[in-house]
Amino acid sequence: AQSVTQLDSQVPVFEEAPVELRCNYSSSVSVYLFWYVQYPNQGLQLLLKYLSGSTLVKGINGFEAEFNKSQTSFHLRKPSVHISDTAEYFCAVIFYNQGGKLIFGQGTELSVKP
Amino acid sequence: DGGITQSPKYLFRKEGQNVTLSCEQNLNHDAMYWYRQDPGQGLRLIYYSQIVNDFQKGDIAEGYSVSREKKESFPLTVTSAQKNPTAFYLCASSYRGTGNEQFFGPGTRLTVL
């Protein structure tokens, strides 16, 4: 079965440091890729998405992600994090042969410390 | 103000009781979805609907039921057959078609006592 793996369940980082949250998916079929953020006890908010075109995608709140087809990865990066970035981040993938269903990774809890 | 509303925010249920979670959207989206979220497991799809009066099972539909009588509404019933219903439930909606962003509601936390 096709799957999405977020390699780190928790990422602690100091304020103003750079961060990378890793995401890999299992299939070589064409994909659409998404990153969502979830603050405690809230729904999910879209950070950015890749559908086609440039492999470097910029999103809200200073986040960006790069699609690497050969490595089947879509890692999320931010050059300088703030305390307010503390949240859970989900990578999600639509595989072309899965009828449009969104498959989520397990989530990465980003904790930004002063 | 367009968006998705879910009610109630917190819900407590005794074992053996059915309970219905509400989801309403005013985004004019055709497609609606229900997900279950458990710690460390991400989101798992329960049911989805691409159009009124039609819906499909997701990956974990057992013990749940839905209806889609109106475009704006997609209620989820958690039945007594669901073995472990305590979880955070999220509703989402999108335009039809692959690749469209799903917009999420604020969620309902269900606790079975």
Side-chain angles (χ1 to χ4, degrees), chain B residues 53-94:
Chain B
N53 292 323
D54 188 42
F55 49 83
Q56 287 78 39
K57 293 182 179 180
D59 301 317
I60 56 165
E62 186 176 348
Y64 300 98
S65 66
V66 293
S67 63
R68 187 83 188 279
E69 297 176 2
K70 298 188 300 181
K71 186 176 183 177
E72 302 80 15
S73 178
F74 191 41
L76 173 75
T77 296
V78 184
T79 75
S80 56
Q82 169 51 233
K83 301 296 183 202
N84 185 21
T86 295
F88 191 50
Y89 290 88
L90 287 159
C91 178
S93 69
S94 73

Side-chain angles (χ1 to χ4, degrees), chain B:
Chain B
D1 219 8
I4 302 177
T5 57
Q6 291 186 244
S7 60
K9 188 168 178 64
Y10 298 96
L11 188 56
F12 297 90
R13 186 195 96 175
K14 292 182 180 179
E15 276 194 39
Q17 289 181 336
N18 292 354
V19 63
T20 298
L21 282 59
S22 168
C23 177
E24 304 276 334
Q25 55 97 3
N26 61 3
L27 300 169
N28 200 33
H29 288 163
D30 289 301
M32 297 187 74
Y33 313 81
W34 273 106
Y35 294 91
R36 171 183 171 135
Q37 184 177 16
D38 296 283
Q41 293 193 47
L43 278 71
R44 293 180 290 168
L45 183 64
I46 305 172
Y47 268 97
Y48 62 105
S49 168
Q50 300 278 10
I51 198 167
V52 174
N53 292 323
D54 188 42
F55 49 83
Q56 287 78 39
K57 293 182 179 180
D59 301 317
I60 56 165
E62 186 176 348
Y64 300 98
S65 66
V66 293
S67 63
R68 187 83 188 279
E69 297 176 2
K70 298 188 300 181
K71 186 176 183 177
E72 302 80 15
S73 178
F74 191 41
L76 173 75
T77 296
V78 184
T79 75
S80 56
Q82 169 51 233
K83 301 296 183 202
N84 185 21
T86 295
F88 191 50
Y89 290 88
L90 287 159
C91 178
S93 69
S94 73
Y95 291 112
R96 287 186 71 184
T98 303
N100 287 314
E101 172 190 352
Q102 290 186 19
F103 291 79
F104 284 80
T108 292
R109 186 166 298 280
L110 173 64
T111 302
V112 174
L113 304 172

